[in-house]
DNA sequence: CGAGTACTTGAGTCCGTTCAATCCCAGTGG
DNA sequence: CCACTGGGATTGAACGGACTCAAGTACTCG
């Protein structure tokens, strides 16, 4: 892993499991518990591999800042991007629970991650049911996203898929605080879009050009300016999910 | 929901969350706790809709017996099958945690389901951390399966996809006890396969015929006899996952 | 200034599509 | 008893969306 661990003392609060997703505030007891689990912070550069497929990593991470993505590859090099990672997301749940990761994680921008010991993951369930519930909440949300991606790749046309992806990333980026009205630039390459949508690079390019012609987006440098999120969502026949706050009930 | 609730007293043990997946045996305390959560059993016929998209269902289910599948649809009728349901699987986690289901569930064969009250779902986290962990384990496994499906639809060719799906279903069916060496018949239609793989029915048929010619499977009545699971897995370049038993560590 | 990466575009090919017709079988009702 | 219906499987033909191949631009970086 070409990334370095930041061992200097940092605020625990910004590392929390769910505060980052902006949905729930944590109690003092929860915060102090998290501080006992936390084993450090990790900063990495764009392009860094955070977790490699099928390798054993004794850590779980939460994203504090930056963009990343997780993907699988086949032996002959075919690659499929599974989902994107943003502040509030968790990395390594599969590894923690199933004892093995079958996908890799790579940073898209410089990232700041919070590190936890996998070995103490189960104590979270024993000692902090509310946090354990949060973990399950995150897992259920991930499942929901994957469901939608599956529908997208399986049944949407190329232009619908592309529109969906950009609208989706815009939505998530905005929600997580990585994007705002002034800066709606997605830090992705067309190569990555192709590997997310299951299309070739060439056809991805031609499809994105069509969306650009319609003034729904514009591609600059190595990124995508989202001009009309609602328009994109309309093309994709997709409605951004509006998650309700989790409650104990 | 065209299914009827069986209110007669039944054994709790066979309804457990994880015993059904054959991985872990439950303690007496866990069994008695489950009995307090359980609110009934549900039997339904093949073709029955267990849960309808975007409807509110106050229940969570676990599958005791039979095959089912969950899917999403678009307004114009396009359908995408997301995953299949087998004994030991849970239905409604998304609904329980995110407060809304965005997919439907349908029975493929007659099914027997165990019903739980969604309202008491959180107490499971408070009172039985070990069972809560099991729920998360199931969620992580589902995520892993969806990852593989995504790779399949996104990057595999038609014949690879088909081979993967049949091998996958055979693997799951065998693991869950629904299939054995004598009876390796998958209760699916080609229409369903098409909606799982993101292909048209016509091309799905032609692709399956090729696999039949290679003596990897044979299609009969409304089902698929799996002749050579390993051969199918090889065509798909897929390795069946070998999940380790969950441990507290 | 060469090398590498990202994006773009045109041309031709092929995989998977739609359209269409046929067959089989299980219900269902006259 | 048999015509009628409908779902599932099958096959041929023709179209088209997405593919590969190929070439070229623009930019960054050592």
């Amino acid at each position: 892993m070409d990334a370095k661990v930041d061992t200097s003392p940092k605020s625990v609060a910004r590392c929390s499991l769910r505060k980052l997703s902006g949905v729930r505030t944590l109690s003092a007891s929860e915060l102090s518990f998290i501080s006992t689990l936390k084993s450090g912070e990790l900063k990495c550069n764009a392009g860094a591999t955070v977790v490699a497929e099928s390798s054993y990593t004794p850590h779980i991470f939460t994203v504090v800042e930056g963009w990343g993505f997780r993907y699988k590859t086949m032996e002959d090099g075919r690659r499929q991007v599974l989902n994107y990672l943003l502040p509030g997301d968790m990395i390594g749940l599969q590894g923690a629970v199933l004892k093995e990761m079958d996908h890799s994680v790579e940073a898209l921008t410089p990232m700041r991650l919070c590190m936890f010991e996998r070995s103490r993951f189960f104590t979270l369930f024993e000692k902090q049911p509310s946090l354990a519930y949060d973990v399950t909440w995150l897992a259920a949300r991930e499942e929901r996203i994957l469901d939608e991606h599956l529908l997208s790749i399986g049944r949407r046309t190329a232009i619908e898929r592309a529109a969906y992806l950009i609208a989706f990333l815009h939505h998530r980026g905005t929600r997580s605080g990585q994007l705002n009205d002034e800066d709606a630039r997605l830090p992705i390459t067309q190569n990555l879009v192709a590997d997310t949508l299951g299309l070739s690079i060439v056809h991805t390019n031609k499809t994105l050009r069509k969306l650009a012609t319609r003034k729904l987006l514009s591609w600059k440098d190595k990124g995508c300016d989202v001009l009309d999120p609602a328009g994109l969502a309309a093309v994709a026949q997709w409605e951004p999910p509006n998650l309700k706050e989790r409650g104990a009930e």
Side-chain angles (χ1 to χ4, degrees), chain A:
Chain A
M1 157 174 11
D2 46 349
K4 58 175 183 179
V5 175
D6 179 352
T7 53
S8 67
K10 298 277 179 182
S11 158
V12 167
R14 75 170 185 214
C15 248
S16 62
L17 283 170
R18 279 291 301 294
K19 180 173 171 294
L20 298 165
S21 66
V23 180
R24 190 168 78 90
T25 49
L26 299 170
S27 70
S29 140
E30 286 170 334
L31 286 175
S32 76
F33 178 79
I34 287 176
S35 71
T36 70
L37 278 190
K38 182 179 169 184
S39 67
E41 268 194 30
L42 186 113
K43 285 186 181 182
C44 63
N45 298 324
T49 297
V50 178
V51 183
E53 202 161 338
S54 79
S55 72
Y56 179 83
T57 316
H59 296 114
I60 300 169
F61 303 92
T62 56
V63 180
V64 179
E65 198 183 347
W67 293 74
F69 67 98
R70 60 191 196 89
Y71 63 96
K72 279 172 79 79
T73 49
M74 293 177 68
E75 290 188 2
D76 56 17
R78 282 178 279 181
R79 181 176 73 162
Q80 177 65 43
V81 174
L82 305 168
N83 197 7
Y84 292 80
L85 294 158
L86 282 157
D89 287 350
M90 209 173 140
I91 299 175
L93 175 67
Q94 288 187 37
V97 175
L98 304 178
K99 310 302 178 209
E100 54 185 53
M101 287 279 273
D102 64 345
H103 61 263
S104 308
V105 174
E106 192 176 315
L108 224 40
T109 65
M111 291 182 88
R112 209 163 73 240
L113 304 169
C114 188
M115 251 169 64
F116 300 95
E117 295 299 319
R118 174 196 283 199
S119 60
R120 281 183 276 170
F121 185 63
F122 185 72
T123 63
L124 184 144
F125 280 77
E126 294 177 314
K127 300 287 168 56
Q128 294 285 347
S130 200
L131 289 176
Y133 190 91
D134 289 341
V135 169
T136 307
W137 186 93
L138 283 171
R141 193 192 54 168
E142 179 76 10
E143 189 179 305
R144 177 110 126 357
I145 290 171
L146 293 176
D147 286 353
E148 189 69 43
H149 284 197
L150 224 30
L151 172 64
S152 200
I153 299 190
R155 287 307 182 201
R156 278 193 244 255
T157 65
I159 201 160
E160 287 171 346
R161 278 185 231 186
Y164 159 70
L165 178 63
I166 303 302
F168 165 76
L169 289 175
H170 176 81
H171 179 254
R172 291 224 55 212
T174 306
R175 282 290 182 97
S176 69
Q178 286 294 120
L179 253 45
N180 54 52
D181 288 341
E182 285 88 58
D183 173 31
R185 159 124 354 145
L186 306 174
I188 51 173
T189 66
Q190 296 193 357
N191 209 317
L192 204 66
V193 173
D195 283 344
T196 309
L197 302 181
L199 298 171
S200 69
I201 309 175
V202 172
H203 199 244
T204 298
N205 176 272
K206 288 171 181 168
T207 304
L208 288 172
R209 303 259 72 247
K210 284 183 191 169
L211 292 175
T213 307
R214 295 197 204 172
K215 296 212 188 336
L216 298 172
L217 57 80
S218 106
W219 213 271
K220 286 178 189 160
D221 302 334
K222 296 172 187 177
C224 170
D225 274 340
V226 183
L227 302 179
D228 184 356
L232 289 165
V235 169
Q237 299 178 47
W238 177 69
E239 273 188 64
N242 198 348
L243 285 186
K244 293 169 187 62
E245 178 158 354
R246 91 141 176 91
E249 182 278 339

